[in-house]
Amino acid sequence: TLSGTRLEDVAAASSGTCWFQLYLCGGRETALRGIERAKQAGFGALILTFDTGLSGLRGLHAKMKPMQAVASFDGLSFKESLSLALRKLSLAPQMLPRLPWLMDHFRDGGLIEFVNVVDEDGNSMPYTDIGQQLAASAVTWDDLSWVKEAWGERPLIIKGVHCAEDARKAEDLGASGIIWSNHGGRQQDRVPPTLHMVKEEMPKLKDSSLDFMMDGGIRNGTDILIALSYGLNAVGIGRVTAAGIGAGGYAGLSKAFEILKSDFERAMSLVGVQSVQEIQEGGASLRRDSLLQGDGHLPPVVF
């Protein structure tokens, strides 16, 4: 939903099955247009994100006021325009040493438009404060009925589930899968790690017909192996892919996948399994709880 690339272009560029992650930015009618576009483009599943009723408190954003710095001069009085110009100029010491980045930014069109959020006239949503958009379009259980009706019989996946009770409710309302997720741990301080949720809640859902996934905290192959041992079907690796792209674009992304795949295969060999199915069937027999309790086993600290 919040991409600068048209969803149709993503589907056309992919040789595999694509899933569309839906936010309700712009309201119900806007979301319905996005769902219809995803269906027409051939997306195979819809992910409805439940865990962003509002944006987390981000102290750095409050300090930097990024939306203020990128605001337009349109409709401002002379005094307001002058104030905004001074605000933009205050960023010059940060921008001048990074002129190549700044030139690339403007060459690429400047601030993106959200081309998958369009109004009734076909206009894309301009770059905006997403936190405000999410707060104005929070998802509730009541939204599942019309989203599922619009999406049809293809898989509907609920993302942001923390407990078995919500997983069962999602299943009762027609979901075919859930994603255990704490939104990357960046919305609320001290939110439980996703793998802790999986450890506590998956044993309560042995009779469920849902497909289970998780994201958040996956950094290496051993993380993947542990997650799959709880019966999950897949994991998300958002930060791994972002790091690869940031480091080297397409080549960096490919290298990130190669590293993760090699690490996963090594972890499987060391544990003694040869397939994902073996990991899922082995379950608890492949895991060991940490035996370290407290710090009494460590030597004393000498200052």
Side-chain angles (χ1 to χ4, degrees):
T1 303
L2 302 178
S3 169
T5 303
R6 296 175 70 251
L7 61 90
E8 292 85 357
D9 296 337
V10 173
S14 176
S15 59
T17 300
C18 295
W19 295 0
F20 184 62
Q21 184 173 349
L22 178 68
Y23 287 98
L24 301 187
C25 294
R28 176 169 174 168
E29 295 306 316
T30 300
L32 288 171
R33 283 189 286 272
I35 292 171
E36 183 59 30
R37 284 176 61 188
K39 288 170 63 177
Q40 294 302 319
F43 280 71
L46 184 74
I47 301 175
L48 184 61
T49 304
F50 250 62
D51 62 347
T52 47
L54 72 169
S55 180
L57 180 61
R58 300 176 187 175
L60 187 60
H61 277 211
K63 180 180 179 181
M64 293 177 63
K65 298 180 175 62
M67 294 308 301
Q68 182 189 80
V70 301
S72 169
F73 289 99
D74 293 344
L76 299 183
S77 67
F78 174 77
K79 184 177 179 180
E80 291 169 334
S81 298
L82 182 61
S83 176
L84 180 56
L86 292 174
R87 171 69 179 123
K88 292 178 182 287
L89 286 172
S90 71
L91 300 175
Q94 297 179 49
M95 292 293 141
L96 291 176
R98 299 171 175 84
L99 283 178
W101 176 88
L102 193 62
M103 291 170 64
D104 284 345
H105 172 69
F106 285 112
R107 190 182 298 119
D108 196 38
L111 295 174
I112 69 170
E113 289 187 350
F114 296 109
V115 293
N116 296 320
V117 183
V118 298
D119 62 21
E120 61 273 12
D121 298 320
N123 299 314
S124 299
M125 185 173 80
Y127 190 84
T128 185
D129 188 330
I130 295 302
Q132 291 182 3
Q133 284 286 332
L134 293 174
S137 54
V139 183
T140 71
W141 291 113
D142 292 337
D143 292 307
L144 246 66
S145 58
W146 63 264
V147 169
K148 182 167 177 57
E149 181 181 357
W151 182 241
E153 295 304 313
R154 303 180 208 190
L156 173 62
I157 300 158
I158 306 302
K159 179 177 182 286
V161 176
H162 285 203
C163 63
E165 289 78 8
D166 282 351
R168 291 194 182 279
K169 185 159 188 174
E171 186 173 17
D172 291 342
L173 292 173
S176 49
I178 65 139
I179 302 177
W180 305 102
S181 176
N182 61 14
H183 217 83
R186 62 184 177 84
Q187 290 291 78
Q188 175 63 46
D189 288 344
R190 299 171 183 82
V191 66
T194 311
L195 199 56
H196 289 197
M197 300 175 195
V198 168
K199 178 182 179 181
E200 295 296 323
E201 304 302 320
M202 280 297 292
K204 305 173 185 177
L205 295 162
K206 292 180 179 179
D207 60 337
S208 172
S209 61
L210 289 168
D211 285 320
F212 295 97
M213 293 154 276
M214 67 157 279
D215 73 6
I218 299 295
R219 300 290 185 272
N220 56 48
T222 303
D223 293 335
I224 299 174
L225 191 151
I226 294 170
L228 295 178
S229 76
Y230 282 102
L232 303 185
N233 299 93
V235 300
I237 50 171
R239 278 188 177 86
V240 172
T241 55
I245 292 171
Y250 179 85
L253 177 60
S254 299
K255 185 64 176 178
F257 278 124
E258 290 173 11
I259 293 171
L260 200 60
K261 183 174 184 287
S262 173
D263 197 23
F264 180 42
E265 290 174 343
R266 184 183 300 270
M268 289 173 63
S269 296
L270 290 170
V271 171
V273 293
Q274 297 181 348
S275 68
V276 169
Q277 182 179 355
E278 243 187 291
I279 298 171
Q280 293 168 328
E281 291 175 351
S285 67
L286 302 177
R287 301 189 300 268
R288 296 293 182 272
D289 288 331
S290 172
L291 299 180
L292 296 180
Q293 300 291 334
D295 58 3
H297 61 288
L298 299 173
V301 177
V302 178
F303 292 96

